[in-house]
């Protein structure tokens, strides 16, 4: 019988033993590493694509909801502009006029205040201001509509035009949807 010599690794040295790697091991290691990197990159691309799809869904939902709200608001704004605003202005016209006239008269108490109104409003404005101690000269002006008044004194003239105010409010209220659409597309 022949004896074979057995070689054992020595642990007495401070230096690690340099193991020789087989070329097949090196090739397999490189292929595994490349495959893992490709898998990570594919996962990253899939996650980004999924996130982008979800963001598109959220954006579409937002635009759809926004459009529905604007359509609903359109009806409300039309009702406000066509019904409520004119009623409020008609109900408050006399009171606003009296407050404005009295403010002007208080500031310019030594000067006569000239109030020009439509012929249809002349008697009611004169009656409303009759109890005031201020000096008013109330004139009927055929060029003014029922919703217009001019208040004048030596230094200036103030025009109250509720019809123009009503039109401006209606335009502003109905223009909200248009402004929203313009800002959404910018």
């Amino acid at each position: 019988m022949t004896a074979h010599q057995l070689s054992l690794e020595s642990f007495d040295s401070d230096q690690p033993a340099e193991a020789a790697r087989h070329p097949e091991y090196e090739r397999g290691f490189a292929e595994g590493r490349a495959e893992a990197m490709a898998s990570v990159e594919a996962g990253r691309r899939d996650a980004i694509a999924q996130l982008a799809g979800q963001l598109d869904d959220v954006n579409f939902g937002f635009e759809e909801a926004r459009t529905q709200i604007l359509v609903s608001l359109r009806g409300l704004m039309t009702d406000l502009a066509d019904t409520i605003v004119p009623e409020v202005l008609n109900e408050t016209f006399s009171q606003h006029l009296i407050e404005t006239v009295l403010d002007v008269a208080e500031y310019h108490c030594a000067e006569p205040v000239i109030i020009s109104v439509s012929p249809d409003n002349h008697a009611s404005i004169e009656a409303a201001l009759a109890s005031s101690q201020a000096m008013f000269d109330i004139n009927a002006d055929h060029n003014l509509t029922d919703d217009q008044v001019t208040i004048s004194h030596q230094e200036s003239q103030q025009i109250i035009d509720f019809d123009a105010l009503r039109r401006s409010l209606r335009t502003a209220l109905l223009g909200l949807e248009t402004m929203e659409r313009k800002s959404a597309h910018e």
Side-chain angles (χ1 to χ4, degrees):
M1 225 173 127
T2 4
H4 289 286
Q5 186 177 13
L6 190 60
S7 90
L8 298 173
E9 184 177 354
S10 169
F11 293 102
D12 293 338
S13 168
D14 288 340
Q15 306 243 335
E18 194 64 39
R21 293 188 183 168
H22 194 275
E24 287 295 316
Y25 171 81
E26 292 291 332
R27 186 179 57 75
F29 182 81
E31 287 175 0
R33 182 177 169 93
E35 188 176 309
M37 295 300 282
S39 175
V40 167
E41 182 62 27
R44 187 181 71 77
R45 277 184 302 217
D46 289 345
I48 289 172
Q50 185 178 12
L51 179 62
Q54 289 174 344
L55 288 175
D56 284 343
D57 290 345
V58 167
N59 190 35
F60 177 75
F62 171 76
E63 287 299 321
E64 188 176 68
R66 186 174 175 277
T67 300
Q68 288 178 356
I69 288 171
L70 288 175
V71 166
S72 298
L73 280 177
R74 175 90 174 148
L76 174 65
M77 294 303 157
T78 301
D79 288 346
L80 277 172
D82 292 342
T83 307
I84 295 171
V85 169
E87 286 178 16
V88 169
L89 289 177
N90 287 338
E91 290 174 9
T92 61
F93 178 76
S94 295
Q95 184 61 34
H96 180 72
L97 174 63
I98 291 168
E99 288 173 9
T100 304
V101 167
L102 292 177
D103 286 346
V104 170
E106 183 180 321
Y107 186 70
H108 300 283
C109 60
E111 304 167 4
V113 176
I114 301 167
I115 302 170
S116 299
V117 297
S118 71
D120 293 340
N121 287 339
H122 184 267
S124 62
I125 299 297
E126 197 169 49
L129 295 173
S131 63
S132 172
Q133 300 296 322
M135 296 178 15
F136 296 114
D137 184 14
I138 302 172
N139 299 326
D141 186 340
H142 294 283
N143 294 322
L144 297 175
T145 67
D146 289 344
D147 294 333
Q148 296 174 325
V149 175
T150 60
I151 303 168
S152 309
H153 50 86
Q154 288 180 346
E155 296 176 14
S156 66
Q157 180 179 22
Q158 183 176 4
I159 299 172
I160 299 174
D161 188 346
F162 275 100
D163 192 44
L165 177 61
R166 186 180 302 118
R167 283 191 311 270
S168 296
L169 287 172
R170 185 176 198 288
T171 301
L173 289 171
L174 297 179
L176 287 176
E177 180 183 9
T178 306
M179 288 176 9
E180 283 292 321
R181 285 187 179 169
K182 285 181 183 178
S183 66
H185 295 294
E186 290 177 352

